[in-house]
Amino acid sequence: LESMTTSIVNHQPAAPLFVEPSNPYKGLADQLNELQSRQQDESKSIENSNTELITILSSLPVGIMVIDSTHDVIFSNPKMATMLGKNVLTQVHPYTQDIRNYELLSLIDDVFDSHKSRQTEVRNVSDTSVTWDTSVLYNQLENDFHVLVIIYDISDLINVKQMQIDFLRNASHELKTPITAISGFTKTLLDGAMNDKKSLVEFLKIIDQQSEQLASLVQDVLTISHIQNGNNYDYKVLNLQAFIDSELTSYKSMAAGQHVTIKNNVDDGVRVTADSNMLTRILRNLVSNAIKYNRPGGEINIDYSANDSFWQLQVADTGIGIAQKDVSRLFERFYRADDSRTKQRVSGTGLGLSIVKELVDAVGGLIDVKSQRGVGSTFTIEFPIVTEDDDSTK
């Protein structure tokens, strides 16, 4: 009985007691056996719960670190090591050995001093700049306390928020230009300029141009919003050569005015499964840009290729090209390369390539551009092949 009691107190396994029914300690022995059995079951349950908890904490997309009252790390999940960019030791060690960010260190020290939880955004600059949503929680225990550090990378959210701010700022600026022009010339006409027939015709032409620019800008903004809110694409089998020829018809006069030759190099037998409206928007934007940014006597070549997973549409021009510093930002909304502006004035809303990128992303494709100043640009789009097993409408 004494041996069994000692084992129970020390949470150690022990063989059950077997006592004869006539023994006066039979009842006590049975109770100790039952207590030992329950203790083992509870220990197994606690061990399983701890294993599950560690598994969950290890798979969370947030960094978690537990620091005891002596400033030692007693637990850290793998994500925390990834975010800190440092291998966190499994044995107990000071947290200052892992954390080098001054803001985060100050936040943890403040919680240790004040015994109050804190939450704020912390910037960390290493190879790249990231922003962490950081919570340092003070956890009071019965006779001690722990500090729980939770950090979550919100860099993408910050970037999206900044993109929205930039988009609103740029959209406001782009809208302001035609509105100001329309308003200014209208007031000038009302103030008496309409009596001069030459001025009247000239001002009305400007108002008409600016109205078209304003309408195009609003339409492009609505198009981007529509794409982001989700589209139902109607996939149909298209004769690609005939489809491209049909779309190029509306650009004959524009190409002739720029003295640009457009060549459709797609074979007659090529068939692709695609949404015609989506493909029209992409093709028109790329061909329009290829004409606008081309040189007199230049060429535009449209080619096709395919493999087992993707089919490619390529639009190449012999135009002014794009500087390498601008290529990475080419698909940003309202972005235009400065060099292109100074050497060749081109009308547009600055949203065309953004719309192309949004459309390509929406159907799971990829877009790539290669360009050289004075030589030309080549846009290559990869579309995933849609088979008959796929739904006709997506």
Side-chain angles (χ1 to χ4, degrees), residues 355-369:
I355 292 174
V356 171
K357 182 70 163 60
E358 295 279 356
L359 287 168
V360 172
D361 289 345
V363 297
L366 299 171
I367 185 168
D368 178 65
V369 57

Side-chain angles (χ1 to χ4, degrees), residues 231-237 273-275 363 384-394:
N231 268 317
N232 291 323
Y233 294 106
D234 185 16
Y235 288 91
K236 294 180 179 178
V237 177
T273 304
D275 179 272
V363 297
I385 292 178
V386 179
T387 63
E388 295 180 357
D389 296 332
D390 297 324
D391 294 334
S392 60
T393 302
K394 294 187 178 181

Side-chain angles (χ1 to χ4, degrees), residues 152-167:
Y152 179 62
D153 190 345
I154 58 171
S155 302
D156 290 341
L157 297 176
I158 297 294
N159 292 337
V160 169
K161 184 178 179 181
Q162 187 60 46
M163 287 174 62
Q164 291 174 337
I165 293 172
D166 292 342
F167 177 73

Side-chain angles (χ1 to χ4, degrees), residues 257-360:
Q258 295 287 101
H259 304 288
V260 172
T261 303
I262 306 178
K263 296 181 178 179
N264 180 5
N265 302 320
V266 179
D267 292 336
D268 181 42
V270 173
R271 301 289 188 274
V272 297
T273 304
D275 179 272
S276 59
N277 292 328
M278 175 268 296
L279 195 56
T280 293
R281 286 180 177 176
I282 292 174
L283 187 62
R284 286 183 178 180
N285 270 297
L286 294 181
V287 171
S288 175
N289 280 349
I291 296 173
K292 291 175 182 177
Y293 292 99
N294 220 314
R295 55 179 174 78
E299 288 186 357
I300 299 172
N301 285 279
I302 303 175
D303 292 280
Y304 163 87
S305 62
N307 57 31
D308 293 337
S309 302
F310 291 90
W311 64 273
Q312 287 187 343
L313 184 66
Q314 190 175 85
V315 179
D317 64 64
T318 57
I320 60 176
I322 306 163
Q324 290 304 306
K325 65 183 181 65
D326 296 316
V327 170
S328 61
R329 301 188 59 190
L330 201 58
F331 298 105
E332 292 182 17
R333 297 167 187 176
F334 297 111
Y335 183 78
R336 293 188 190 179
D338 293 334
D339 291 341
S340 297
R341 281 185 172 180
T342 57
K343 294 189 177 183
Q344 184 172 344
R345 289 187 61 83
V346 176
S347 62
T349 63
L351 291 173
L353 289 178
S354 297
I355 292 174
V356 171
K357 182 70 163 60
E358 295 279 356
L359 287 168
V360 172

Side-chain angles (χ1 to χ4, degrees), residues 186-249:
T186 301
K187 288 179 180 178
T188 303
L189 290 173
L190 292 174
D191 287 340
M194 68 174 66
N195 297 324
D196 182 350
K197 188 173 182 180
K198 182 178 179 181
S199 297
L200 176 62
V201 173
E202 181 182 350
F203 287 1
L204 287 177
K205 285 182 178 179
I206 295 173
I207 291 173
D208 182 56
Q209 291 172 354
Q210 294 298 321
S211 297
E212 289 183 358
Q213 175 73 5
L214 183 61
S216 297
L217 178 60
V218 172
Q219 183 58 48
D220 284 350
V221 171
L222 291 175
T223 298
I224 289 178
S225 176
H226 185 62
I227 295 169
Q228 291 181 333
N229 288 333
N231 268 317
N232 291 323
Y233 294 106
D234 185 16
Y235 288 91
K236 294 180 179 178
V237 177
L238 304 173
N239 181 316
L240 189 59
Q241 185 196 62
F243 178 84
I244 293 174
D245 283 339
S246 175
E247 293 299 326
L248 292 180
T249 303

Side-chain angles (χ1 to χ4, degrees), residues 69 138-146:
S69 57
Y138 177 80
N139 183 28
Q140 182 66 54
L141 305 176
E142 185 175 353
N143 296 315
D144 201 0
F145 71 89
H146 286 165

